[in-house]
């Protein structure tokens, strides 16, 4: 079997102008980045703003395992299948981060014959959006430290600086650093920190902003520090907003690419779901809804993270009303949740499947709490047996879910037709009664407890003393009405990555709470989740190379 990158490199791509032309986008409404990538102009986004909305379909998954689930592959394949059925559909995805690309996870362009191309460019520098976010973030950090160096007129308390620098790379050595070393002209000595770019508040702001005006207003509200009186100091106070917006003026425009079967894809923004809100940009999703009859989008990691934040943060802020959810699982991943080691997952094991399917069960229950119809799909592997597939199908139907087998990795759009037809029938027959999990008026502690209890299945929440103080402070400053963005391990429903399946009787441990005032949510750090990941012992970077002709190998 060919590798993903081999399949992608052998693909015959259409010029992006042709992909755009089928959507009715004129050349003047595109900003070209070579032959196969383009940004959609601001003028075009305004032009289509009065179009009716298409149907919004969210693709999510069970908790990720080493066995692989294939959420992006399913999203891409479903979009291709809609095209096979003559439906006008657009896929809307996040941009990949360099951190996991060179670390352990690999790329994020789908897989097999359900991929977004050009795959290498998408996984690497793409159109420079992440570089723009990194630059804007670090410009604000530089202006902050320069203000302190130049006299500190805002009376910033250097022990209460909350803004961190960022880098789109897994580099654990930068988590905790000391800056300002050297002479007097080298700055004020203080402790500082780095987060990965996808955890930067600038990334969240870019993905939630409706337009340039909204972007600048959100940037102005960023809390960078507190002064000697305990009052917030913002990016507006540092006169940083205009320059930051200038760096982001192109990054705010959605990117248009294509799948292997020339289905249009909007790829824009990329916040992680375990440490950020895990969805592509509001602008790209809104544009897709205005440009097509069906928008297929995804949320990062498992439904306990990405889908919950898609519903409670993105949909709440943007006013989106999702029409259906596709929940991706694999027989292999369910058996892994049932205690089977990775090396034995190809063997039929109905006992382990029955034990591990409780993870899928909890995700089904969670999604139904939001009032949106659910279709479960099994991403097919050749090792799956008829008995195993039948067991999962029966399990899902007993819980009021539609079910379909997906073979898009192997067959592309053709392998997703059964799933696409099931989604279409669900849209026609079942009405969505979408509702967020909690009301804005709930206190921060109550929101944290609701998500922990209702979505994770926790028996309770253990708040560290520092977290309680931070919550009280944020509520006194008027941030209590914001939604919460839970930073939690993706590998378990709990905050302990070793607890697989459907853990019971555990407590969620909240160690830190801070506001992303520009993004419009409060970040809650649980367990040992890190906002700057590290590289594994054998990074994926070891396998990546480029030959004399410029052809990249080993990327995925």
């Amino acid at each position: 079997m060919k590798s993903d990158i081999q399949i992608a490199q052998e693909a015959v791509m259409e010029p992006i102008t042709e992909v755009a032309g089928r959507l009715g986008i004129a050349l003047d409404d595109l900003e070209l980045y070579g032959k196969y990538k383009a940004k959609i102009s601001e003028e075009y986004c305004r032009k289509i703003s009065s179009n009716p909305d298409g149907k919004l379909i969210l693709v999510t998954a069970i908790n990720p395992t080493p066995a692989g689930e294939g959420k992006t592959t399913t999203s891409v394949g479903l979009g291709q299948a809609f095209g096979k059925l003559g439906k006008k559909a657009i896929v809307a995805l996040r941009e990949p981060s360099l951190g996991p690309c060179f670390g352990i996870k690999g790329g994020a362009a789908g897989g097999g014959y359900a991929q977004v191309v050009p795959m290498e460019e998408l996984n690497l520098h793409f159109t420079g959006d992440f570089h723009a976010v990194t630059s804007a973030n670090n410009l604000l950090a530089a202006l902050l430290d320069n203000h302190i160096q130049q006299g500190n007129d805002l009376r910033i308390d250097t022990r209460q600086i909350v803004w961190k620098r960022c880098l789109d790379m897994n580099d654990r050595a930068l988590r905790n650093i000391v800056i300002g070393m050297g002479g007097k002209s080298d700055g004020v000595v203080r402790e500082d920190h780095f987060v990965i770019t996808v955890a930067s508040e600038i990334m969240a702001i870019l993905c939630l902003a409706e337009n340039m005006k909204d972007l600048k207003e959100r940037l102005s509200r960023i809390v960078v520090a507190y002064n000697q009186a305990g009052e917030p100091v913002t990016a507006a106070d540092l006169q940083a907003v205009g320059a930051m917006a200038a760096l982001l003026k192109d990054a705010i425009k959605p990117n248009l690419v294509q799948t292997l079967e020339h289905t249009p894809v909007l790829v824009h923004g990329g916040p992680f779901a375990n440490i950020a809100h895990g969805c592509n940009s509001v602008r790209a999703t809104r544009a897709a809804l205005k440009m097509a009859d069906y928008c297929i989008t995804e949320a990062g990691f498992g439904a306990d993270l990405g889908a919950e934040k898609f519903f409670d943060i993105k949909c709440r802020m943007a006013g989106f009303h999702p029409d259906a959810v596709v929940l991706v699982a694999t027989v292999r991943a369910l058996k892994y949740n049932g205690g089977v080691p990775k090396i034995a997952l190809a063997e039929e094991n109905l006992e382990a499947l029955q034990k591990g399917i409780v993870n899928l069960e909890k995700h089904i229950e969670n999604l139904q709490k939001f009032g949106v119809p659910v279709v479960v799909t099994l991403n097919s592997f050749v090792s799956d047996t008829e008995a195993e597939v039948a067991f999962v199908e029966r399990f899902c139907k007993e819980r009021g879910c539609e079910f379909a087998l997906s073979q898009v990795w192997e067959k592309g759009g053709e392998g997703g037709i059964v799933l696409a037809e099931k989604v279409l029938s669900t849209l026609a027959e079942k009405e969505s009664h979408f509702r967020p999990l909690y009301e804005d008026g709930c206190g921060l502690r109550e929101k944290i407890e609701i998500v922990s209890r209702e979505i994770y299945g926790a028996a309770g929440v253990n708040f560290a003393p520092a977290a309680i103080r931070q919550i009280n402070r944020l509520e006194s400053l008027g941030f209590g009405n914001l939604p919460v963005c839970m930073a939690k391990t993706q590998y378990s429903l709990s905050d302990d990555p070793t607890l697989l399946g459907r853990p019971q009787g555990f407590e969620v441990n909240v160690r830190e709470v801070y506001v992303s005032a520009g993004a419009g949510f409060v970040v809650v750090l649980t367990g040992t989740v890190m906002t700057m990941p590290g590289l594994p012992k054998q990074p994926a970077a070891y396998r990546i190379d480029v030959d004399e002709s410029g052809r990249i190998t080993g990327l995925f």
Side-chain angles (χ1 to χ4, degrees):
M1 174 60 74
K2 295 176 181 178
S3 68
D4 290 346
I5 195 169
Q6 286 177 310
I7 294 170
Q9 289 175 339
E10 292 174 3
V12 178
M13 291 182 282
E14 290 184 348
I16 200 63
T17 51
E18 294 183 15
V19 177
R22 291 198 300 275
L23 291 169
I25 306 175
L27 181 59
D28 285 347
D29 290 320
L30 297 176
E31 297 176 11
L32 299 177
Y33 284 68
K35 290 176 64 176
Y36 306 113
K37 300 175 292 183
K39 281 188 172 289
I40 297 174
S41 72
E42 196 68 37
E43 292 74 20
Y44 182 76
C45 289
R46 286 197 292 267
K47 190 185 306 181
I48 62 174
S49 61
S50 59
N51 289 358
D53 285 343
K55 297 290 187 180
L56 180 55
I57 302 159
L58 174 69
V59 179
T60 185
I62 63 173
N63 292 98
T65 70
E69 285 66 56
K71 177 159 44 65
T72 303
T73 301
T74 302
S75 300
V76 174
L78 181 59
Q80 293 180 158
F82 269 64
K84 292 274 188 185
L85 294 172
K87 304 298 182 182
K88 190 176 183 181
I90 295 179
V91 182
L93 304 174
R94 294 176 298 163
E95 298 177 46
S97 165
L98 291 178
C101 185
F102 292 115
I104 194 170
K105 183 173 176 286
Y113 289 91
Q115 292 190 63
V116 180
V117 287
M119 180 262 222
E120 310 100 299
E121 295 174 37
L122 174 61
N123 277 313
L124 297 178
H125 301 289
F126 199 33
T127 58
D129 294 346
F130 279 30
H131 301 298
V133 170
T134 302
S135 298
N137 183 103
N138 294 340
L139 170 63
L140 181 55
L143 290 170
L144 169 63
D145 281 302
N146 183 63
H147 178 88
I148 296 169
Q149 172 74 7
Q150 302 295 346
N152 196 7
D153 291 343
L154 293 172
R155 298 176 59 247
I156 293 170
D157 184 347
T158 56
R159 298 162 302 179
Q160 295 192 78
I161 293 174
V162 295
W163 190 250
K164 299 175 175 65
R165 288 166 162 82
C166 77
L167 183 72
D168 190 32
M169 196 60 63
N170 292 0
D171 193 346
R172 62 170 56 83
L174 295 177
R175 289 173 185 162
N176 304 292
I177 62 173
V178 176
I179 63 172
M181 302 287 283
K184 186 176 181 181
S185 64
D186 297 319
V188 175
V189 177
R190 68 175 182 87
E191 182 180 355
D192 201 4
H193 313 271
F194 271 79
V195 299
I196 193 167
T197 296
V198 290
S200 167
E201 185 179 351
I202 305 293
M203 180 65 79
I205 287 172
L206 180 76
C207 289
L208 292 169
E210 294 279 359
N211 47 45
M212 179 57 74
K213 180 176 182 290
D214 187 29
L215 177 76
K216 293 173 73 172
E217 288 175 353
R218 288 173 177 274
L219 291 173
S220 72
R221 295 198 296 267
I222 294 173
V223 175
V224 298
Y226 294 88
N227 63 20
Q228 298 288 348
E231 300 162 335
V233 177
T234 66
D237 295 329
L238 290 171
Q239 303 177 64
V241 176
M244 293 166 69
L247 286 170
L248 298 168
K249 75 176 184 67
D250 293 320
I252 195 175
K253 301 169 186 173
N255 306 294
L256 177 66
V257 284
Q258 64 190 289
T259 73
L260 292 172
E261 298 178 10
H262 316 305
T263 303
V265 187
L266 294 181
V267 183
H268 195 216
F272 274 1
N274 56 345
I275 50 183
H277 74 281
C279 314
N280 74 313
S281 76
V282 165
R283 302 197 81 216
T285 302
R286 195 177 301 286
L289 286 169
K290 299 296 183 182
M291 293 159 60
D293 297 323
Y294 303 94
C295 169
I296 300 162
T297 190
E298 71 171 25
F301 293 125
D304 55 320
L305 288 169
E308 185 272 319
K309 295 171 186 178
F310 177 84
F311 293 140
D312 282 325
I313 295 177
K314 182 175 179 177
C315 291
R316 183 192 302 265
M317 292 188 187
F320 291 144
H321 188 283
D323 296 285
V325 180
V326 175
L327 176 59
V328 181
T330 67
V331 167
R332 293 162 57 89
L334 293 174
K335 288 190 290 191
Y336 185 86
N337 270 281
V340 175
K342 187 177 179 181
I343 58 172
L345 292 174
E347 303 169 10
E348 181 177 278
N349 191 329
L350 290 171
E351 183 180 348
L353 183 59
Q354 183 174 10
K355 183 179 177 183
I357 205 168
V358 294
N359 186 265
L360 174 62
E361 179 182 45
K362 178 57 176 165
H363 287 296
I364 291 172
E365 292 174 7
N366 288 348
L367 293 170
Q368 290 173 336
K369 291 176 182 178
F370 293 96
V372 183
V374 180
V375 177
V376 175
T377 185
L378 271 184
N379 187 17
S380 178
F381 282 74
V382 293
S383 60
D384 299 347
T385 69
E386 290 185 10
E388 289 173 329
V389 173
F391 176 83
V392 178
E393 180 175 6
R394 184 169 60 253
F395 185 90
C396 294
K397 289 183 175 179
E398 287 172 353
R399 283 149 185 82
C401 290
E402 298 296 330
F403 175 87
L405 198 62
S406 171
Q407 296 176 299
V408 298
W409 184 88
E410 179 186 2
K411 300 179 180 179
E414 190 69 31
I417 287 178
V418 173
L419 172 59
E421 289 176 337
K422 189 65 69 174
V423 171
L424 288 168
S425 64
T426 297
L427 291 171
E429 298 166 7
K430 295 185 179 181
E431 188 174 347
S432 173
H433 299 283
F434 169 69
R435 56 188 176 274
L437 189 67
Y438 53 79
E439 300 296 330
D440 291 335
C442 298
L444 293 178
R445 286 189 64 164
E446 185 179 359
K447 291 170 185 172
I448 295 167
E449 288 168 347
I450 289 173
V451 174
S452 299
R453 183 178 64 251
E454 297 293 326
I455 302 300
Y456 309 154
V461 180
N462 177 33
F463 292 91
I468 293 174
R469 292 193 297 271
Q470 290 158 350
I471 289 171
N472 292 339
R473 181 186 206 180
L474 293 178
E475 290 184 335
S476 70
L477 292 170
F479 297 122
N481 64 322
L482 300 182
V484 292
C485 182
M486 303 290 286
K488 182 185 76 70
T489 179
Q490 64 269 33
Y491 298 115
S492 172
L493 284 161
S494 74
D495 60 352
D496 180 350
T498 66
L499 298 180
L500 303 181
R502 184 174 183 169
Q504 304 283 341
F506 66 92
E507 288 190 337
V508 169
N509 297 288
V510 174
R511 57 186 172 87
E512 184 180 348
V513 180
Y514 61 87
V515 67
S516 290
F521 53 67
V522 171
V523 180
V524 181
L525 297 182
T526 71
T528 57
V529 68
M530 294 290 180
T531 53
M532 169 56 85
L535 292 170
K537 189 171 184 178
Q538 295 288 324
Y542 289 174
R543 303 188 298 271
I544 298 172
D545 201 357
V546 59
D547 63 22
E548 293 182 1
S549 68
R551 189 179 183 89
I552 294 173
T553 58
L555 185 59
F556 193 72

